[in-house]
Structures are given as C-alpha cells and as structure tokens.
Amino acid sequence: MHKRVRKAVFPVAGLGTRILPATKAVPKEMLTVVDKPLIHYAIEEAKAAGIDEFYFVTGRAKSAIEDYFDVGFELEATLRERGKADLLDEMHSWLPTAGEIAYTRQQRPLGLGHAVWCARHLVGDEPFAVIPVDDLMVCEPPCLKQMVDVYAETGGNVVAVVEVPRQETRRYGVLDIVADDGRLARAKGVVEKPDPADAPSTLTIIGRYIIQPEIFARLEETTPGSGGEIQLTDGLAALIADGQAFHGLRAAGRRFDCGDKLGFLEANIALGLSHPELGDGLRRLLQSYL
Ligand code: G1P
C-alpha cells in the first residue's frame, strides 16, 4: 500500500508576465475562464482526487486569492437580504471550511522548485500533489484523479505528460524513457527545457505532479538550472537518481495553457461551448463572427 495523497501545493506566486497587462493588478490565478477563476478549477480538480489539505505558495499582490476562499460577510448579508438563497447555497457548496487551506509566501521569484520547497513544513513527510493553476486540465475523470489511481499501482512519483513537436522541447521538462505502453511511461531521467537536438524524447511534463517528500532535501541541494531558477525538474531528476520510481501518464482529456494569451482564449471558447447554459448562445455568437 502506498501512502495516500492528501495534500496539494498550489504554486501561485508567479507574476504572469506572458499575459500582461491583464495580470498587472489581478493575479493570473484569478482570471476567469467562462464564469470561474482559474484557481476554482484547480481546487475542484484536487477535491475530486481526494485531496483535503490545500497549500498555496503565494506572493505579494496575490491577496485576491485568499479573499476568494474567505467568507464575504457583506456579500452574504446582501444575498440573504435579497432572498437569493440559491446563490448563497451554491457558494457554500465550494467554499473550503476553516483550516482546510493554508498559505505561505515565496519571498523571491527563484523558480518552481523553490516555490514547492517553500511548502516543506506544511507538507511534512508524505507524498503530495503539485498543481500549477495556469495549466487548466479538462479531463474525465479529472486529471489528478487519473494520476492518483495510477499512483496507487506504481507508487513513487507520477507526472502528467503530453507528446510535443520536437522543436518545442525547450519549453518543458522532458522524460528520458525506459518503458512505455502508450499510456504510461517509466522514466530513468528528466531534463528541464533541453534543446530539441539534445532532448531524450518528446514526452514532456505538463502541470500536474505527485511527488515523494524526499524532494525537499533534494531541492535544498539543487543549484539554479535552466533560466537561472531552482527547477522542480532537477529535484525530480535527483529522486530518480536515488532509485525512486518515476512515471509519466498521458491523461485522457485536454490541456489549456492559460498562462498564454491564445491558450487562455481557447480555454474560454472550449469551456464556454460545453457550458450547459451558455453553450448554445456562444455557438450562435461565434458563427456570426466567422
Ligand atoms: C514548468 C516546468 C516544466 C513543465 C512546465 C509545464 O515550466 O518547469 O518542467 O514542463 O512547467 O507547464 P514553466 O512553464 O513554468 O517555464
């Protein structure tokens, strides 16, 4: 039996420079896809995978995230006064209970590996998930749930992966594969943002991870890598070198890179079209533009 994954870390300190000016005064995690902020989708996915403790690694100018998950007394009183019980109930259905969420700060932008390391005292000595919120995964079952199910079999570390054109490997962590059944790949190494010519494969990590707690000690020793940042991928490579299992799952579903303007627009269109109340109207609108 592998230890259950109960905790998730959400690295939300990033500045969102690829989608400026939208993110100048609003955290990118609070940008809405259709009718919910990105952070809402991430929490829903984590809950569906059995996560019950949520840790945010945040930064300056990100307080809107904390407010979003807090009780809004003024809003609630107004809704109650106006007899909008349905809206109130809907909000209470997803609001985390007190103590389920905790926040810590990444004081300097030193990379994804450093952000995860900042949560070491909150996570302690157990496996945990990492969910970068701008990778919006639309999967059934939800992506992290698919990964948790695989982890129950394999143990070790599990990441979500996709195949990319070789010229794009310099944007991702890339797996060095030893076995691959077309759905699940086992890796003997992982490299952050290699040049296409040096990439060990074209199977790349997207933003979902299940990681063993030994990563914290490894990240402590990790020196700045690609882009001068402490890379999570380098910490994972150290775990593989220590003999830990490492698998990449091609999750069934779709990924939207919402840290990118076009990816963000695509997510809004795709989720809008499949929205039960808005889909038909949006389809008609889009047709009138094309
Ligand atoms: C990060 C990781 C990279 C991963 C990517 C997925 O890179 O470092 O290994 O493939 O996320 O989105 P970033 O996009 O933050 O540069």
Side-chain angles (χ1 to χ4, degrees):
M1 261 302 265
H2 306 293
K3 263 194 186 168
R4 186 164 89 81
V5 185
R6 303 184 305 125
K7 303 183 172 185
V9 173
F10 302 83
V12 296
L15 296 175
T17 49
R18 284 190 294 156
I19 33 179
L20 277 168
T23 46
K24 182 163 182 291
V26 177
K28 66 176 169 181
E29 297 79 12
M30 290 304 297
L31 297 180
T32 51
V33 171
V34 188
D35 55 357
K36 291 185 289 201
L38 278 168
I39 194 75
H40 192 127
Y41 292 92
I43 289 274
E44 277 180 343
E45 183 185 334
K47 281 190 178 163
I51 301 291
D52 43 34
E53 295 184 28
F54 309 86
Y55 299 122
F56 286 74
V57 180
T58 174
R60 280 174 294 282
K62 296 278 183 167
S63 55
I65 297 174
E66 294 186 39
D67 291 342
Y68 187 72
F69 291 115
D70 199 357
V71 169
F73 285 104
E74 216 175 7
L75 175 63
E76 295 210 355
T78 309
L79 290 177
R80 214 168 285 123
E81 231 168 72
R82 296 185 183 166
K84 306 241 185 232
D86 48 338
L87 287 180
L88 256 180
D89 289 348
E90 200 279 326
M91 207 160 57
H92 286 153
S93 72
W94 56 262
L95 257 192
T97 52
E100 266 183 338
I101 293 193
Y103 302 87
T104 188
R105 278 198 178 198
Q106 183 185 27
Q107 295 159 316
R108 293 189 186 85
L110 297 179
L112 181 59
H114 178 260
V116 169
W117 177 79
C118 288
R120 66 200 178 284
H121 296 305
L122 297 168
V123 170
D125 189 24
E126 57 182 287
F128 62 103
V130 174
I131 304 186
V133 173
D134 44 10
D135 264 340
L136 174 58
M137 302 296 294
V138 179
C139 305
E140 200 42 56
C143 182
L144 190 64
K145 170 73 173 117
Q146 294 183 39
M147 292 168 65
V148 162
D149 289 346
V150 163
Y151 166 82
E153 306 277 321
T154 62
N157 305 275
V158 180
V159 295
V161 291
V162 289
E163 205 75 60
V164 298
R166 184 161 276 275
Q167 67 271 20
E168 288 180 18
T169 57
R170 56 166 67 91
R171 288 172 46 197
Y172 297 98
V174 179
L175 270 59
D176 189 354
I177 300 165
V178 271
D180 189 356
D181 68 7
R183 174 174 174 262
L184 193 63
R186 193 157 61 80
K188 62 176 163 70
V190 59
V191 193
E192 181 68 6
K193 301 194 171 79
D195 281 339
D198 305 327
S201 77
T202 50
L203 198 59
T204 65
I205 303 177
I206 50 176
R208 295 294 181 273
Y209 305 78
I210 292 172
I211 303 179
Q212 295 299 316
E214 290 78 21
I215 189 104
F216 295 121
R218 287 313 194 186
L219 286 171
E220 188 112 24
E221 299 159 359
T222 302
T223 49
S226 169
E229 297 188 336
I230 310 275
Q231 295 293 348
L232 185 58
T233 303
D234 293 341
L236 292 168
L239 292 186
I240 299 175
D242 289 342
Q244 288 198 7
F246 189 96
H247 288 88
L249 172 70
R250 294 175 182 84
R254 293 198 66 176
R255 166 200 183 225
F256 299 97
D257 177 5
C258 293
D260 170 83
K261 288 182 183 177
L262 205 54
F264 179 71
L265 281 177
E266 185 190 1
N268 271 285
I269 293 169
L271 272 77
L273 285 173
S274 58
H275 191 283
E277 284 143 39
L278 304 172
D280 289 345
L282 180 60
R283 187 164 294 106
R284 277 196 300 278
L285 272 177
L286 286 175
Q287 274 156 357
S288 75
Y289 280 94
L290 295 172

